[in-house]
């Protein structure tokens, strides 16, 4: 199962006199991720390194640290915690002791991982969009059953024979709801998948 943050979360840690401040937040678009980075970067810090992941899209930045020692470890921490739809910004104030490439990788990846492990998380529920129709006498029963399936109704159109419903249902529950719909309408109706 994949998770995301419930709300923005911060973590602070000191490693060999360098101060690391991690700021993280849930995001659903690349624009939100970039806006978060811009709004939360600190110009007084030596480095503002970051990574974000939204589905199959991701980006990261070392912001002046040696290549591969900051952004990639932050992204690895995100993936290692099975988190998606998130942006993580690690701000570093240099404390005078060089950490070396291995030390930087451990510091950036470790701070990001500690932040994500401590943050309140919620599961990401994958939903597919469907539509179906039914007669008016069937609708009260179906409407009640929709609550059992954690359905989000996108649109209801009430026609002459009955309602036409467009909805989003958790992917793993679609088959069971399909069986319920077919049984209730005696095979007359079934779910039609819609494009996302």
């Amino acid at each position: 199962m994949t998770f995301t943050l419930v709300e923005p979360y911060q973590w602070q840690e000191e490693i060999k006199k360098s101060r690391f401040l991690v700021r993280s937040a849930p995001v659903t678009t690349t624009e939100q991720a970039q806006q978060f980075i811009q709004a939360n970067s600190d110009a007084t810090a030596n480095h503002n390194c970051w990574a974000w992941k939204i589905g199959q899209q991701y980006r990261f930045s070392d912001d002046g640290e040696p290549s591969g020692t900051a952004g990639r470890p932050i992204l690895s921490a995100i993936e290692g915690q099975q988190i998606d739809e998130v942006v993580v910004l690690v701000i570093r104030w240099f404390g005078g002791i060089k950490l070396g490439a291995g030390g930087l990788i451990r510091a950036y990846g470790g701070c990001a991982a500690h932040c994500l492990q401590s943050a309140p998380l919620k599961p990401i529920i994958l939903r597919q969009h469907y539509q179906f129709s039914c007669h008016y006498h069937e609708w009260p029963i179906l409407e009640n059953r929709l609550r059992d399936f954690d359905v989000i109704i996108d649109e209801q159109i009430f026609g002459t024979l009955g309602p036409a419903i467009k909805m989003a249902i958790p992917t793993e529950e679609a088959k069971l709801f399909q069986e319920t719909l077919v049984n209730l309408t005696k095979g007359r109706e079934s779910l039609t998948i819609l494009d996302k």
Side-chain angles (χ1 to χ4, degrees):
M1 179 172 280
T2 306
F3 297 87
T4 192
L5 276 67
V6 172
E7 60 192 3
Y9 191 79
Q10 283 194 172
W11 174 270
Q12 190 165 306
E13 200 168 327
E14 188 174 304
I15 301 170
K16 294 187 178 177
K17 297 190 179 180
S18 282
R19 186 163 61 101
F20 291 85
L21 174 62
V22 185
R23 293 179 172 158
S24 61
V27 291
T28 55
T29 66
T30 59
E31 292 79 15
Q32 287 176 350
Q34 289 305 125
Q35 287 170 0
F36 179 85
I37 293 162
Q38 290 173 359
N40 289 279
S41 291
D42 191 320
T44 68
N46 298 91
H47 304 281
N48 289 278
C49 305
W50 51 266
W52 55 258
K53 183 176 186 309
I54 302 168
Q56 298 303 313
Q57 298 180 67
Y58 62 89
R59 281 192 60 199
F60 55 87
S61 169
D62 294 319
D63 189 39
E65 293 283 26
S67 181
T69 62
R72 174 60 75 178
I74 296 168
L75 180 63
S76 294
I78 292 169
E79 294 173 336
Q81 301 302 315
Q82 296 181 317
I83 296 179
D84 197 358
E85 298 180 359
V86 69
V87 58
V88 177
L89 170 66
V90 182
I91 304 165
R92 179 188 182 201
W93 289 268
F94 181 59
I97 298 173
K98 292 188 176 183
L99 301 180
L104 288 171
I105 291 169
R106 285 189 297 277
Y108 280 101
C111 288
H114 293 149
C115 177
L116 295 174
Q117 289 165 355
S118 301
L121 302 176
K122 64 181 178 181
I124 295 175
I125 299 171
L126 299 177
R127 296 178 188 272
Q128 178 60 55
H129 293 267
Y130 292 92
Q131 69 180 9
F132 71 90
S133 299
C134 65
H135 290 166
Y136 279 113
H137 71 275
E138 299 160 338
W139 176 235
I141 297 168
L142 281 170
E143 184 178 29
N144 192 43
R145 290 303 311 268
L146 288 176
R147 291 184 192 98
D148 298 336
F149 290 97
D150 193 22
V151 166
I152 296 171
I153 294 178
D154 296 324
E155 184 179 5
Q156 299 178 30
I157 300 171
F158 293 95
T160 54
L161 298 177
I165 307 298
K166 291 184 179 178
M167 64 177 193
I169 187 170
T171 307
E172 67 273 5
E173 295 186 10
K175 184 177 178 185
L176 187 56
F177 183 76
Q178 167 79 337
E179 291 171 6
T180 301
L181 178 63
V182 168
N183 288 339
L184 187 66
T185 63
K186 298 178 177 58
R188 189 185 72 257
E189 297 293 340
S190 64
L191 288 176
T192 303
I193 195 166
L194 299 172
D195 291 335
K196 288 188 177 182

